[in-house]
Amino acid sequence: MSFRDFLHAIRGLRRSPAFTATAVVTLALGIGASTAMFSVVNAVLLQPLPYRDPERLTLVWADMHARNVRNFFFSAADYIDLRNQANLFSEMGAVTTGTNIFPREDGSPEQVVNAAVTPNFVRLLGAHVILGHDFQDSDGTPLPAAAPPTANPVILSYDFWKRRYGSDPAIIGKTLGRNVVVGVMQPGFDLLFPSGSGVERKPDLWFSLRLAYDETRRNNVFLRPLGRLRPGASLSQARSQVEAIAARLRQASNIKQTSGFAIRLESMQADIVAASRPAIMALMGATVFLLLIACANVANLLLVRCGLRQREWAVRSALGGNRWQSARRMIAESLLLAGAGTVFGLLLARLALAQLLRLTPADLPRMETITLNPAVLGFSALAGLATALLFGLAPALTASRSQVTAALRGSSRTGGLNSGGALRTAVVVVEVALSFVLLVGSGLMFRSFLALLKTDLGYEPAKLLTFQILGGPNGRDAGPKHAVLKQSIVRRLSEIPGVVAVSASFPFPLTGGFNPIRWGLQDALADASKFRAADFQFVLPGYFETMQCRLLEGRIFTAADNSPGRNLVVIDRLLAASAFPGATAVGRRILIRVRTPEPEWVEIIGVVEHQRDESPAIEGRQQIYFTDAFADNQVANRFVIRATGDPARLTQAIRAELRQIDSSLGMFAIAPMTELVEKAGARTRFSLLLIAAFATIAVLLTGVGLYGVLSTVVRSRTAEIGIRMALGAPPAQIFRLIVGRGLRLSVLGLAAGIAAALGLTRIMNSMLIGVRPADPATFCAMAALFLLIALIASWLPAQRAAGLQPTDALRDE
């Protein structure tokens, strides 16, 4: 193609401003949506982790197959055995994180995140200390039991150093309590672990773990191991090796043998995005469909334009013009349209990305790296070029094959009412099929969202405010002091006007921290494989009343039950049905292991409704509830109040009461319970909004395409319509002919779309809640909706055809 071809193309597009604007806007929608979505795919799925040689980093998980428990923690002894025996790893480290309070200069408490790591952990990930020095190997050496207290080394995060100490380099060597600052971490160093792993992403303080090999404490699990494969070692080889190590550990431990203990290795990069990958790929597929629909729509516009210009091209050819000249100009028009569509698409993508980041779930990994970087811009340029080829090829071929004699001999409007335009018809059928797949996807997500809203959580989230209280007594006798402190907190907060009830728990629903314990009946003493897994919570009296969790049998905890030595529990409906099917659970006993190495008996005093703790979308494990005194009154720190009105309005009053009770107490993680429920459903809502938006645009574009084809049929068959009406055809018959053609095209597209949707919606299975991918109701409802849209798109051209006067139609021809 030459520069002259582009000049002719520009002049041609300027003469048809409506066509040009429609084509550019259509392409901008498709390219903009795909570019914005690709920026998410690129940041979350494609970009390597910001660690040294990330492809060799491997996460290590403990599973218990017999109890259906995955992603369990490691004990120090199990980790040391694994580290010493897994020689396919060049190095291995471990981490555990938690939260604490750290007083500011004015004495007010600040919540900080602590990370305790093996001394090699920072080097393992390829990070470095920008001030001072990293941990030494000796910092991980266990201290003798009789050794005097020693200052433990601590490394500050860059943000904490900047925030609390104003980037003062003199901080090195200073003490923080019983710790001495030895270094400052590089900026931006985060712990990127999968959601739900229990590893905090942004630690403020880094401590060195002194792990001792203690055979008697293998049930004390708290570590998340991480390994780096040796050069040349494959993940499959490492998996075989750790399976052998797990087998040896099972042979040495009856608990591991009966629980089906196993060690699982996962690529760190793949595991971090495993939960997000299906939704992101499904959404990317939806944007590709939208882009294809946009291409098909523009191709249809160009085919119509090509049909209207065939006489012009025939005259040019008869006067000696090259028939490929017209094809080149069509391709030049396609490239110009694609270029303009790409530019405007990038502007739309930029705007869409800002909104996308607002809607993106907080647990989506690496969302802060989502941007229009060079890779995304390159994708957009390739998308623009590909679309030019896709929608420009067919019109160009049509232009190059125009028959001079036929075009000059006949009218520009020839052929029967139901003939011609086969290619345009095929394009519309493809559009209908693709948009129907998107429509079904959005329908399935809508059904899932409705199911999520209707899910019985086991508690009533409205008018609840939850917050964490950190601080209070320390030392060996802290338990009784904590009991007194919590009683004071509950009493004082209950007196605040507008407060209905107050209690506390740990863990707390929808805030994480849930881990299973063993429970069993009498037969489990003889056969440990009979033990099963359940989640547990330590609660204060009044917890079930505050949460409005239904009591199904027996009673719930009273103040008298919250005393040391009272081995009483409340269980949920699922555990009661599993342990005592068809019989009462109240007064019965079960074995549990929480405080002691060996199981102990506890008595069931009540059965409550099952609570959805991890996610509204997942039923979760069975549940056992203990009083806070069962754990020496030092666990339940996530408080919850029920209010008469908006609970968030009580925040300042609660803070004031806490300051009066104990100024060292800190109030953190404040959130209405409804907000936690909304966050838990954020992924479903995110997918629903995007797929629904894509489907809406796709259906509109398809409706426009169908309207364009039928309008072209009416315009090019005006004479035939006039003849039919002159011979006695009533307007209603003409109306039915046009509408019937539109519905036939739609039915053909729906048939192809149903077949495609039955196969493609299976990839959405992990995203759906309470509905199957091949849900008949959704398919039927979406098919009916699309036929209604097709009827509307067919109505206007049909009305225009039915309103033609025979004499006017024949005179126009």
Side-chain angles (χ1 to χ4, degrees), residues 546-588:
T546 305
M547 297 291 288
Q548 293 186 2
C549 180
R550 295 184 297 278
L551 176 66
L552 305 178
E553 185 181 2
R555 66 179 181 86
I556 48 184
F557 295 126
T558 64
D561 296 325
N562 193 32
S563 303
R566 302 205 69 181
N567 287 9
L568 305 176
V569 298
V570 172
I571 63 174
D572 78 334
R573 170 178 53 83
L574 298 184
L575 195 149
S578 174
F580 312 106
T584 182
V586 175
R588 309 288 285 270

Side-chain angles (χ1 to χ4, degrees), residues 424-603:
R424 295 198 302 274
T425 298
V427 169
V428 169
V429 169
V430 170
E431 282 189 74
V432 171
L434 293 175
S435 59
F436 180 73
V437 173
L438 290 183
L439 205 56
V440 168
S442 66
L444 292 173
M445 290 307 305
F446 183 69
R447 291 282 303 275
S448 297
F449 190 65
L450 289 180
L452 196 65
L453 293 178
K454 295 177 181 178
T455 298
D456 183 4
L457 301 174
Y459 47 85
E460 176 50 58
K463 299 183 179 181
L464 286 181
L465 181 70
T466 177
F467 49 91
Q468 189 174 32
I469 296 180
L470 296 176
N474 291 310
R476 293 185 177 180
D477 60 344
K481 295 179 181 178
H482 271 283
V484 174
L485 176 64
K486 290 176 184 179
Q487 290 172 7
S488 177
I489 291 173
V490 170
R491 185 181 68 256
R492 295 281 292 272
L493 297 188
S494 298
E495 295 171 354
I496 297 175
V499 173
V500 176
V502 182
S503 190
S505 163
F506 186 84
F508 191 81
L510 305 183
T511 61
F514 285 89
N515 291 297
I517 58 170
R518 289 188 296 156
W519 73 270
L521 302 175
Q522 181 69 43
D523 57 356
L525 291 175
D527 182 0
S529 66
K530 301 290 186 180
F531 277 106
R532 283 161 277 182
D535 285 338
F536 66 95
Q537 283 178 253
F538 295 102
V539 303
L540 292 182
Y543 171 79
F544 300 107
E545 298 96 320
T546 305
M547 297 291 288
Q548 293 186 2
C549 180
R550 295 184 297 278
L551 176 66
L552 305 178
E553 185 181 2
R555 66 179 181 86
I556 48 184
F557 295 126
T558 64
D561 296 325
N562 193 32
S563 303
R566 302 205 69 181
N567 287 9
L568 305 176
V569 298
V570 172
I571 63 174
D572 78 334
R573 170 178 53 83
L574 298 184
L575 195 149
S578 174
F580 312 106
T584 182
V586 175
R588 309 288 285 270
R589 297 194 306 165
I590 59 173
L591 288 162
I592 56 97
R593 195 200 72 77
V594 176
R595 302 178 297 188
T596 58
E598 296 301 321
E600 57 182 319
W601 288 103
V602 292
E603 180 185 347

Side-chain angles (χ1 to χ4, degrees), residues 202-256:
K202 294 181 178 293
D204 298 303
L205 304 175
W206 299 77
F207 299 92
S208 181
L209 281 167
R210 298 184 184 273
L211 297 178
Y213 190 90
D214 188 345
E215 188 68 39
T216 65
R217 296 177 62 82
R218 285 191 184 269
N219 291 332
N220 182 22
V221 295
F222 60 99
L223 293 174
R224 289 297 189 196
L226 172 69
R228 179 179 293 281
L229 290 171
R230 292 185 180 278
S234 68
L235 187 59
S236 60
Q237 291 172 329
R239 283 172 173 162
S240 298
Q241 187 176 72
V242 300
E243 284 174 6
I245 296 171
R248 290 193 288 271
L249 291 174
R250 286 194 298 269
Q251 291 175 357
S253 168
N254 184 51
I255 291 177
K256 285 183 169 57

Side-chain angles (χ1 to χ4, degrees), residues 5 21 144 191 204 212 219 234 279 387 441 477 602 607 703 710 799 805:
D5 291 324
L191 292 177
D204 298 303
N219 291 332
S234 68
T387 54
D477 60 344
V602 292
V607 178
L710 295 179
Q799 278 287 95
Q805 295 298 319

Side-chain angles (χ1 to χ4, degrees), residues 552-679:
L552 305 178
E553 185 181 2
R555 66 179 181 86
I556 48 184
F557 295 126
T558 64
D561 296 325
N562 193 32
S563 303
R566 302 205 69 181
N567 287 9
L568 305 176
V569 298
V570 172
I571 63 174
D572 78 334
R573 170 178 53 83
L574 298 184
L575 195 149
S578 174
F580 312 106
T584 182
V586 175
R588 309 288 285 270
R589 297 194 306 165
I590 59 173
L591 288 162
I592 56 97
R593 195 200 72 77
V594 176
R595 302 178 297 188
T596 58
E598 296 301 321
E600 57 182 319
W601 288 103
V602 292
E603 180 185 347
I604 300 169
I605 63 170
V607 178
V608 295
E609 183 56 73
H610 174 73
Q611 297 187 22
R612 299 213 169 196
D613 289 331
E614 294 286 357
S615 167
I618 302 172
E619 186 176 56
R621 285 185 285 261
Q622 303 159 0
Q623 295 153 349
I624 303 176
Y625 299 90
F626 304 92
T627 62
D628 193 38
F630 196 85
D632 199 23
N633 298 290
Q634 298 190 65
V635 178
N637 63 5
R638 188 83 189 219
F639 280 74
V640 59
I641 68 165
R642 182 167 291 280
T644 56
D646 181 5
R649 295 180 178 179
L650 301 174
T651 301
Q652 294 305 318
I654 295 170
R655 285 190 188 276
E657 288 294 335
L658 291 178
R659 282 195 296 269
Q660 293 183 19
I661 295 170
D662 186 341
S663 61
S664 69
L665 296 177
M667 180 182 178
F668 307 102
I670 307 163
M673 195 68 200
T674 50
E675 182 179 309
L676 296 181
V677 174
E678 287 180 6
K679 283 185 177 180

Side-chain angles (χ1 to χ4, degrees), residues 276-397:
S276 306
R277 181 183 294 274
I280 292 176
M281 293 309 296
L283 291 171
M284 189 64 207
T287 60
V288 170
F289 274 28
L290 181 59
L291 183 59
L292 290 174
I293 291 169
C295 291
N297 215 315
V298 176
N300 233 331
L301 289 173
L302 283 171
L303 284 168
V304 172
R305 181 176 169 82
C306 179
L308 296 175
R309 297 174 65 187
Q310 280 190 1
R311 285 181 66 91
E312 172 193 342
W313 292 334
V315 171
R316 290 177 181 273
S317 181
L319 295 176
N322 189 333
R323 65 175 183 169
W324 290 107
Q325 194 175 51
S326 300
R328 291 202 307 270
R329 289 177 182 175
M330 289 296 295
I331 293 175
E333 285 188 1
S334 300
L335 289 172
L336 289 172
L337 291 173
T342 301
V343 171
F344 285 105
L346 283 173
L347 295 176
L348 284 178
R350 189 178 184 85
L351 296 174
L353 207 55
Q355 299 302 317
L356 196 64
L357 291 175
R358 294 176 58 188
L359 297 172
T360 301
D363 59 350
L364 187 69
R366 309 176 70 190
M367 58 179 292
E368 73 284 352
T369 64
I370 299 173
T371 183
L372 295 178
N373 58 26
V376 176
L377 296 177
F379 168 83
S380 183
L382 287 175
L385 180 61
T387 54
L389 293 175
L390 279 173
F391 68 70
L393 187 59
L397 290 176

